[in-house]
Amino acid sequence: MAKVAIKSETITSFGGIFHVMDTFSKIGLGKLIESTLGQRGNTGKAFQYSDILSSVFYSYLCGADCLEDINTLAPQFSMAPCTVHPSSDTVGRGLKELKTDNEIYRGESSGKEYKFNTAEKLNQLLVKMINHLGLIKEGSAVDMDFDHQFIPAHKYDAKYSYKGDYGYFPGWATVGGIFVGGENRDGNANVKFHQADTLNRIMTRMKGILKVTINRFRADCGSFSKEIIQTVEKHCNLFYIRANNCADRYEELRNHADWKGVEIGYEKCDVASFDFNDFIEGKTYRLVAQRTPKKDSDGKIEKDMFGIVYVYRCIITNDRESSEKDVVTFYNKRGQSEKNFDVQNNDFGWAHLPFSFLEENTVFMLVTAMLKNFYLYLLGTLTDKIKPLSKTCRLKNFMLHFICVPAKWIKTGRSHILNLYTTKKYYSDIFKE
């Protein structure tokens, strides 16, 4: 084995984070956070909410798995001149201070109570930050996705879900990879329960702060209800929602003769359109149905006494112009939005919620949703300069090609200089800015 010399110099292996810190400061995110959330403490000497949120941002961008990792990383961030960063205990206290009281809803038939947390001020900050970063152009038309993400969490107040574990069941709205709103709820709450209220708040906030038009809305069958569709239709031009199948509709689909053969996603299937007037008297929507042959474990098409056995999937929409293939193709793209949850779980801490109560973990999830949006902004500024990076790359790739570079701060004369120890030429261009 080669000889090893241990040097006690103050060198960090996360030199790229100093550019992130400089960017955070230059674009004025700290001022936006403080103007929205207010001052923390009465003396002005306490760490402000901009310090709390930025510490969360920097730590997870350096690969933190949980809030406690801040204690390892904060001393390295504090190597930058004239900076001091809070410990994980201070960050935890600061995040808890941002919690809001839960709203309690009672089921009409069961009488059971369910906790919801709307976190209005943090949701406003989330949308204001999107506007500030220019991630969504003001006045533009956007396509919005909505979904509930069950988050397993064995916390003090976590409820048992039909998903087979204890946890929370928040609902999140996204535009592409950008989180535009979210509200937390008990894990045992039905996804349709008061979802219309959640969507109304999110869409009203988007239109009020971002001044956008919600052109198209997509959601799974968890949004298939009269109240939800009425709410969505008030706020968007077109909607596409997966419809539940029932016995009556199955008979109608099975007996229908006018099916068109198409190929969607390299799979051959049949499509057809029907009128749907089950929800609102005097109002008819379009039901786009897709059928594919059912196959057994050996890949053979199943048959019964009536012929081929089909699997039917339906989408309810107010889009009368698009072809059935275009409707199904557009709806199927919502699978890309579901990847956002995988990113949050594995890159930005949702798999390790830090607190014991729903309202506190709501704060953490919204702050890390803001972090995801800030991360997308960073990628937008760096991908042209760092060829291995793309605007959709995962955090690990971002760390390998940018964050992880040995660095040391030195003082020469009256100036502080950051030395980076690397052969990669793009760092000189990036840190000049």
Side-chain angles (χ1 to χ4, degrees), residues 398-416:
F398 179 70
M399 290 179 59
L400 288 174
H401 293 289
F402 182 67
I403 293 293
C404 294
V405 55
K408 179 181 180 181
W409 284 95
I410 62 172
K411 189 172 183 179
T412 302
R414 297 181 180 180
S415 300
H416 292 278

Side-chain angles (χ1 to χ4, degrees), residues 2 13 18-19 25 33 86 99 108-109 121 152 164 172 194 209-210 213 255 298 306 323 348 353 408 429:
S13 55
F18 296 115
H19 172 74
S25 175
I33 292 169
K99 69 181 181 182
E108 292 182 5
S109 57
K121 186 176 286 189
W172 292 95
H194 282 272
I209 298 175
L210 290 178
T213 299
N255 294 325
D298 297 324
F306 300 105
S323 67
F348 298 122
L353 298 179
K408 179 181 180 181
D429 295 331

Side-chain angles (χ1 to χ4, degrees), residues 166-293:
Y166 289 88
Y168 306 120
F169 222 143
W172 292 95
T174 56
V175 173
I178 304 165
F179 282 94
V180 295
E183 296 184 1
N184 204 0
R185 45 197 275 149
D186 277 332
N188 63 340
N190 187 295
V191 292
K192 295 178 183 178
F193 188 60
H194 282 272
Q195 184 188 139
D197 297 333
T198 295
L199 287 170
N200 184 61
R201 285 187 286 264
I202 291 174
M203 291 177 166
T204 300
R205 203 181 296 121
M206 286 178 65
K207 293 194 296 184
I209 298 175
L210 290 178
K211 312 296 183 185
V212 298
T213 299
I214 303 172
N215 185 33
R216 297 183 291 184
F217 172 87
R218 289 181 296 205
D220 64 15
C221 58
S223 299
F224 182 64
S225 80
K226 173 183 175 181
E227 293 77 14
I228 295 169
I229 288 175
Q230 286 179 313
T231 299
V232 167
E233 200 169 18
K234 290 178 183 176
H235 290 284
C236 69
N237 295 329
L238 300 170
F239 66 84
Y240 307 80
I241 296 174
R242 176 70 73 193
N244 293 332
N245 288 326
C246 66
D248 293 341
R249 191 171 299 123
Y250 177 79
E251 285 300 314
E252 181 183 4
L253 296 174
R254 190 173 64 82
N255 294 325
H256 187 70
D258 189 18
W259 292 91
K260 304 172 189 175
V262 296
E263 184 175 315
I264 300 175
Y266 306 105
E267 181 183 30
K268 291 183 178 180
C269 62
D270 300 320
V271 293
S273 290
F274 302 82
D275 286 336
F276 184 89
N277 51 17
D278 293 6
F279 278 161
I280 305 171
E281 185 176 352
K283 193 154 192 177
T284 301
Y285 296 107
R286 180 187 182 191
L287 191 73
V288 176
Q290 173 190 7
R291 71 176 189 180
T292 53

Side-chain angles (χ1 to χ4, degrees), residues 381-392:
T381 64
L382 295 174
T383 48
D384 291 340
K385 304 177 181 69
I386 306 175
K387 297 305 179 185
L389 294 183
S390 70
K391 293 182 180 180
T392 58

Side-chain angles (χ1 to χ4, degrees), residues 14-31:
F14 301 107
I17 201 63
F18 296 115
H19 172 74
V20 176
M21 294 165 64
D22 189 50
T23 300
F24 186 95
S25 175
K26 282 183 176 178
I27 63 177
L29 275 188
K31 293 180 180 178

